[in-house]
């Protein structure tokens, strides 16, 4: 399968690889996927007192598109407020990376990882988790 | 050394220039129809086919009368399985095969089931070998055919064909083998091995695509198959269709080259393969799949835990290899062959097949080792599973959210 240049770029030079302190109340961690499905994505956000994401890190086990989707997600998350971040839609990722239909799954995983990270942060800070309906396409 | 490097010789091999040279006159000058028995053009084509038949037969210890030309191993497998079932169904309706067979065999067996046949799909042991006791136990008076491949296309495991043949024969069944990956690579002899039907293909042994053969035993017992194609009655009535003369000539030449060079080539390739396996398994948590002693000289299948095969292949962009991961498919189901060895799904997703070949050099293997090690190390730094493993977290203790 031929990948877009953007996928190859994110795959070759992944942005924001790493680990944040998951025990910190300022950090939200989302771990989605399953090893037996061939992809596991962990996305972490660091949130300041103004509800703005100051840092984002990821680690992903998966194919090139999964790695690229999570790398792109961390770029998009940085500087966004939590409210803005929750609106990131998997189809935005599909479009940006020109993912082929068979790889849409990877973008879904990234969207779910973002939402899981935000909810982890919310719960840690005494807020109710946002209902995670399957909004993605 | 030219990049990219081709290490996917189980998928297909480049054609040997000597094969091409043998084929070329048959496209333009010696273009006759081998079935035209009444003029020079036909005779010349027929001579080419007859010579190729001898070359193919010699490679597998058969007589030339036992070689039926087909379009490739898939057709040979289909003709053998469906053809035997139709020919012998009054004698019995049971076929035995293994879960690690190629789809051409498995799907032909499924077809037989639709026709009212019964098929036993034997599980294999964790090294990929057929359990002979399980085979023996599966034999019934209704069993007409046992079909077990010679060498596996994904993991390279070579089955104990002689023992399998003996069990089949003891119970009055025929023994068929899909020897696509084995013929030309290791000694295959239909008499020594007790083979009644054998499928082979030219493009897996440096010949052209679209041509292969089915060996059908003529003596002790005389095996017959019901034709699957109706027409001019070519190939002793078992496979109608104008012969692909240039392709057949190429197959013959490929067989001759393999016959002459097999011994030295197998030694060279197994040394390279061993070096590759030994170097790659120096990496932590990496494993060779399939029996290590009984295997084809040119195949190494290695799992690198905590990295995903397709992602890994992308990091090895100058290496053409193949993965048991199915991240490209909608089903997300990894290789059924690897899973049948008892590999967990995540390990099956993490596998890479290296298929060496006649034109593979040591320099290329060294490069492949370096690139693979670098890629695995890089991707593990990106892998949350690797991090958890390093922290001593049991991955089985995590409740994964499946998608």
């Amino acid at each position: 399968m031929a990948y877009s240049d953007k996928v190859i770029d994110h795959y070759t030079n992944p942005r924001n690889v790493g680990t944040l302190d998951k025990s910190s109340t300022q950090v939200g961690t989302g771990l989605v996927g399953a090893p037996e499905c061939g992809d596991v994505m962990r996305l972490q956000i660091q949130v300041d007192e103004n509800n703005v994401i100051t840092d984002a890190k990821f680690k992903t086990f998966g194919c090139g598109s999964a790695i690229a989707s999570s790398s792109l997600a961390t770029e998009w998350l940085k500087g966004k407020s939590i409210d803005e971040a929750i609106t990131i839609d998997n189809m935005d990722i599909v479009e940006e990376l020109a993912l082929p239909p068979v790889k849409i799954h990877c973008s879904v995983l990234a969207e779910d990882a973002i939402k899981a990270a935000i909810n982890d942060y919310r719960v840690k800070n005494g807020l109710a988790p946002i209902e995670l309906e399957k909004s993605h396409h | 050394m030219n990049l990219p490097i081709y290490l996917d010789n189980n998928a297909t091999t480049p054609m040997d220039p000597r094969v091409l040279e043998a084929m070329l006159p048959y496209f333009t000058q010696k273009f006759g129809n081998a079935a035209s028995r009444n003029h020079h053009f036909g005779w010349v084509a027929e001579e080419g086919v007859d010579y190729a038949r001898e070359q193919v037969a010699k490679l597998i210890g058969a007589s030339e009368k036992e070689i039926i030309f087909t379009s490739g191993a898939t057709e040979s497998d289909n003709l053998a399985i469906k053809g035997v079932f139709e020919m012998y169904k009054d004698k019995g309706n049971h076929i035995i095969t293994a879960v690690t067979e190629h789809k051409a065999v498995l799907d032909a067996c499924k077809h037989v089931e639709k026709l009212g046949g019964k098929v036993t799909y034997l599980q294999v042991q964790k090294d990929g070998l057929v359990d002979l006791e399980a085979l023996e136990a599966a034999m019934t008076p209704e069993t007409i055919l046992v079909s077990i491949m010679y060498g596996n296309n994904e993991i390279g495991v070579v089955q104990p064909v002689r023992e399998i043949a003996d069990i089949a024969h003891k119970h009055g069944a025929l023994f068929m083998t899909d020897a696509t990956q084995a013929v030309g690579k290791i000694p295959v002899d239909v008499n020594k091995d007790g083979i009644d039907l054998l499928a082979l293909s030219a493009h897996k042994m440096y010949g052209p695509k679209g041509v292969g053969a089915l060996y059908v035993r003529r003596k002790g017992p005389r095996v017959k198959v019901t034709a699957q194609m109706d027409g001019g009655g070519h190939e002793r009535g078992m496979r109608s269709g104008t012969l692909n003369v240039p392709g057949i000539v190429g197959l013959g030449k490929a067989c001759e080259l393999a016959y002459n060079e097999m011994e030295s080539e197998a030694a060279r390739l197994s040394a390279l393969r061993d070096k590759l396996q030994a170097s790659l398994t120096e990496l932590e948590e990496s494993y060779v799949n399939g029996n290590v002693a009984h295997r084809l000289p040119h195949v190494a299948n290695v799992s690198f835990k905590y990295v995903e095969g397709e992602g890994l292949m992308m990091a090895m962009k100058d290496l053409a290899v193949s993965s048991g991961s199915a991240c490209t498919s909608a089903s997300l189901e990894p290789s059924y062959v690897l899973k049948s060895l008892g590999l967990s799904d995540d390990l099956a997703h993490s596998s890479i097949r290296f298929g060496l070949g006649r034109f593979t050099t040591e320099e290329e293997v060294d490069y492949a080792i370096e690139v693979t090690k670098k890629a695995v190390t890089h991707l593990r730094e990106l892998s949350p599973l690797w991090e958890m493993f390093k922290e001593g977290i049991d991955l089985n203790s995590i409740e994964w959210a499946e998608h």
Side-chain angles (χ1 to χ4, degrees):
Chain A
M1 175 181 323
Y3 285 109
S4 70
D5 290 345
K6 279 183 181 163
V7 170
I8 291 169
D9 180 37
H10 273 282
Y11 174 81
T12 316
N13 311 295
R15 331 293 201 252
N16 310 309
V17 176
T19 309
L20 298 171
D21 176 12
K22 69 176 175 202
S23 62
S24 161
T25 52
Q26 288 186 301
V27 170
T29 301
L31 181 68
V32 297
E36 58 265 30
C37 299
D39 35 31
V40 174
M41 206 176 272
R42 191 190 66 200
L43 231 147
Q44 295 183 298
I45 48 171
Q46 171 113 25
V47 186
D48 71 7
E49 58 280 8
N50 301 318
N51 263 349
V52 171
I53 298 169
T54 56
D55 200 3
K57 297 276 184 204
F58 87 92
K59 282 204 176 185
T60 292
F61 160 85
C63 65
S65 298
I67 289 169
S69 297
S70 39
S71 170
L72 176 68
T74 57
E75 279 207 315
W76 280 356
L77 286 169
K78 284 209 269 186
K80 278 200 170 66
S81 71
I82 290 278
D83 294 341
E84 287 167 336
I86 202 89
T87 65
I88 294 175
D89 185 90
N90 80 291
M91 288 313 284
D92 301 337
I93 294 170
V94 170
E95 209 169 299
E96 175 68 17
L97 294 176
L99 293 181
V102 72
K103 296 293 185 183
I104 287 178
H105 172 78
C106 301
S107 71
V108 170
L109 214 56
E111 184 189 318
D112 288 352
I114 292 170
K115 297 200 159 129
I118 290 171
N119 271 344
D120 181 56
Y121 170 78
R122 287 177 65 92
V123 170
K124 269 184 187 166
N125 289 278
L127 299 165
I130 294 158
E131 195 73 27
L132 285 186
E133 88 269 32
K134 296 278 176 195
S135 59
H136 40 65
H137 300 81
Chain B
M1 189 173 61
N2 293 321
L3 298 177
I5 290 166
Y6 187 73
L7 291 178
D8 201 14
N9 284 282
N10 293 74
T12 194
T13 51
M15 201 157 75
D16 192 302
R18 294 170 290 182
V19 172
L20 177 63
E21 203 183 332
M23 289 170 68
L24 280 174
Y26 289 88
F27 286 103
T28 48
Q29 294 125 44
K30 305 179 179 183
F31 59 85
N33 188 328
S36 297
R37 294 266 161 75
N38 42 11
H39 55 63
H40 178 76
F41 297 90
W43 301 329
V44 170
E46 193 186 14
E47 263 171 43
V49 169
D50 286 347
Y51 187 55
R53 215 182 285 280
E54 286 170 29
Q55 289 168 312
V56 176
K58 189 174 177 188
L59 180 60
I60 58 169
S63 124
E64 64 270 17
K65 288 181 181 150
E66 298 174 308
I67 304 299
I68 308 297
F69 290 117
T70 65
S71 64
T74 291
E75 187 189 339
S76 299
D77 286 333
N78 273 270
L79 175 56
I81 291 165
K82 297 174 186 175
V84 162
F85 178 74
E86 285 184 46
M87 183 61 69
Y88 296 94
K89 63 181 179 224
D90 295 337
K91 191 170 164 268
N93 68 346
H94 182 226
I95 290 175
I96 298 175
T97 188
V99 293
T100 46
E101 292 292 305
H102 191 272
K103 284 282 180 193
V105 166
L106 294 176
D107 289 352
C109 286
K110 298 236 165 70
H111 182 86
V112 162
E113 287 181 295
K114 280 187 203 149
L115 300 176
K118 288 202 170 82
V119 180
T120 301
Y121 301 90
L122 290 175
Q123 293 298 324
V124 294
Q125 304 173 99
K126 67 178 184 353
D127 62 358
L129 292 177
V130 164
D131 181 342
L132 296 175
E133 284 176 21
L135 171 64
E136 180 89 55
M139 299 294 307
T140 76
E142 294 292 308
T143 310
I144 49 172
L145 180 69
V146 174
S147 181
I148 302 288
M149 75 192 341
Y150 211 111
N152 186 272
N153 49 311
E154 281 193 47
I155 50 175
V157 165
V158 174
Q159 297 292 349
V161 283
R162 179 72 240 190
E163 287 85 344
I164 293 169
D166 288 345
I167 292 170
H169 295 155
K170 194 171 90 184
H171 294 269
L174 298 171
F175 174 55
M176 134 96 190
T177 188
D178 174 353
T180 311
Q181 297 286 347
V183 167
K185 315 290 171 49
I186 55 173
V188 173
D189 185 300
V190 291
N191 291 315
K192 282 188 199 146
D193 295 335
I195 296 163
D196 298 310
L197 299 116
L198 174 148
L200 63 87
S201 182
H203 79 102
K204 307 284 191 189
M205 49 171 155
Y206 316 97
K209 291 170 184 65
V211 60
L214 177 66
Y215 159 80
V216 184
R217 177 171 289 280
R218 262 169 79 92
K219 271 189 208 154
R222 183 184 178 90
V223 178
K224 288 192 273 185
V225 297
T226 302
Q228 301 298 303
M229 198 109 71
D230 298 315
H234 308 75
E235 298 298 280
R236 291 167 44 218
M238 287 189 252
R239 202 279 190 178
S240 285
T242 298
L243 293 184
N244 168 10
V245 178
I248 287 166
V249 168
L251 168 61
K253 185 68 185 179
C255 287
E256 181 192 297
L257 294 173
Y259 183 85
N260 293 335
E261 297 168 12
M262 189 192 306
E263 200 178 330
S264 57
E265 185 61 4
R268 188 184 78 87
L269 286 178
S270 37
L272 287 181
R273 191 257 342 259
D274 289 348
K275 181 182 189 179
L276 180 71
Q277 285 182 172
S279 303
L280 293 180
T281 48
E282 282 170 4
L283 288 166
E284 259 181 283
E285 297 292 314
S286 66
Y287 310 94
V288 172
N289 294 314
N291 189 294
V292 184
H294 302 282
R295 60 166 50 227
L296 297 169
H298 60 293
V299 193
N301 190 310
V302 187
S303 286
F304 305 96
K305 218 170 174 184
Y306 312 118
V307 295
E308 193 271 341
E310 206 218 53
L312 187 55
M313 276 171 39
M314 205 173 152
M316 314 189 301
K317 66 178 165 56
D318 287 326
L319 295 184
V321 292
S322 159
S323 175
S325 174
C327 199
T328 42
S329 81
S331 72
L332 297 177
E333 276 293 306
S335 154
Y336 66 90
V337 172
L338 293 174
K339 284 185 71 177
S340 70
L341 307 186
L343 255 69
S344 58
D345 280 11
D346 55 326
L347 209 49
H349 273 298
S350 302
S351 70
I352 298 285
R353 178 184 70 183
F354 300 85
L356 314 185
R358 184 176 287 167
F359 305 104
T360 305
T361 63
E362 178 151 22
E363 194 188 10
E364 288 177 332
V365 170
D366 289 340
Y367 180 81
I369 291 167
E370 189 194 316
V371 167
T372 308
K373 283 186 156 179
K374 224 169 108 184
V376 170
T377 307
H378 166 68
L379 286 178
R380 281 180 172 171
E381 280 162 19
L382 252 65
S383 167
L385 304 180
W386 178 250
E387 188 185 291
M388 291 175 192
F389 164 70
K390 281 291 176 185
E391 286 173 355
I393 296 170
D394 178 8
L395 293 175
N396 295 321
S397 70
I398 294 172
E399 264 187 52
W400 298 103
E402 287 193 34
H403 276 72

